[in-house]
Amino acid sequence: CTETQVCIPSYNFDGYIHGYQVRNLKSGPKYKSLPVDGKYASYSYVDLCDKVHLLEQARGIALVESVVDGLCCNKIGVPAIALLGTTLPLSIIPHLTDLRVFILFDPDALVIASHMQDKLGSYGVDAWVLDVGVKPYELTPLDLMKVFMEANNK
């Protein structure tokens, strides 16, 4: 990485690094994936919450596009899975079946989020699309918390 990039590890559900995502802070492509052992990660489990999860009673989790969005969710006590884009890897669906899934994508990906909600629903997953009108990382922690609290009460 250079001084205008941040290298973010991608973790699997067992807590092991299985890839990296480079975030360009200035110019060039916004994100670039780097492999581990010749394989690219298709998601990153982001659960650094050191307190009681905000969605613990609902057994909820956020599905987001980037690790940065996932870290914003963690900041308010919401575990997340960063898809490193907008493609749903089928391998994560078994991890979602007993959870309430809140899909929180950028505004330009709401159609994809709705399709993902339908796809998850066909596997019996309780999935909800949260349309907040801005990129998740643009919300203040308080506003993001309100979004999840309102959605959790539906």
Side-chain angles (χ1 to χ4, degrees):
C1 288
T2 68
E3 65 271 358
T4 61
Q5 297 176 318
V6 177
C7 188
I8 306 167
S10 297
Y11 294 92
N12 63 19
F13 290 106
D14 295 322
Y16 295 104
I17 294 173
H18 68 148
Y20 293 91
Q21 193 175 46
V22 175
R23 171 71 156 91
N24 284 309
L25 303 174
K26 299 264 180 181
S27 62
K30 196 173 185 180
Y31 292 101
K32 178 183 178 182
S33 292
L34 299 175
V36 167
D37 298 328
K39 295 181 182 176
Y40 289 89
S42 58
Y43 72 91
S44 182
Y45 181 55
V46 187
D47 188 6
L48 304 174
C49 303
D50 61 352
K51 54 189 171 221
V52 174
H53 289 162
L54 177 68
L55 302 176
E56 189 167 34
Q57 288 180 334
R59 293 196 32 83
I61 193 164
L63 266 188
V64 296
E65 293 181 61
S66 74
V67 175
V68 172
D69 294 334
L71 291 171
C72 290
C73 291
N74 278 193
K75 186 174 185 174
I76 62 161
V78 176
I81 299 171
L83 299 179
L84 310 180
T86 57
T87 302
L88 178 68
L90 294 178
S91 64
I92 72 168
I93 292 175
H95 298 276
L96 304 176
T97 55
D98 294 331
L99 300 174
R100 190 171 209 194
V101 176
F102 297 99
I103 305 168
L104 183 61
F105 281 6
D106 293 357
D108 65 350
L110 285 179
V111 171
I112 296 168
S114 293
H115 176 71
M116 189 174 294
Q117 178 185 23
D118 293 342
K119 188 172 193 170
L120 287 168
S122 71
Y123 286 94
V125 175
D126 182 20
W128 296 74
V129 174
L130 305 182
D131 180 0
V132 295
V134 296
K135 296 176 180 182
Y137 65 81
E138 293 175 339
L139 292 169
T140 66
L142 181 59
D143 287 339
L144 188 58
M145 185 179 293
K146 287 178 185 176
V147 165
F148 281 108
M149 297 289 280
E150 288 172 13
N152 196 35
N153 291 326
K154 290 184 180 180

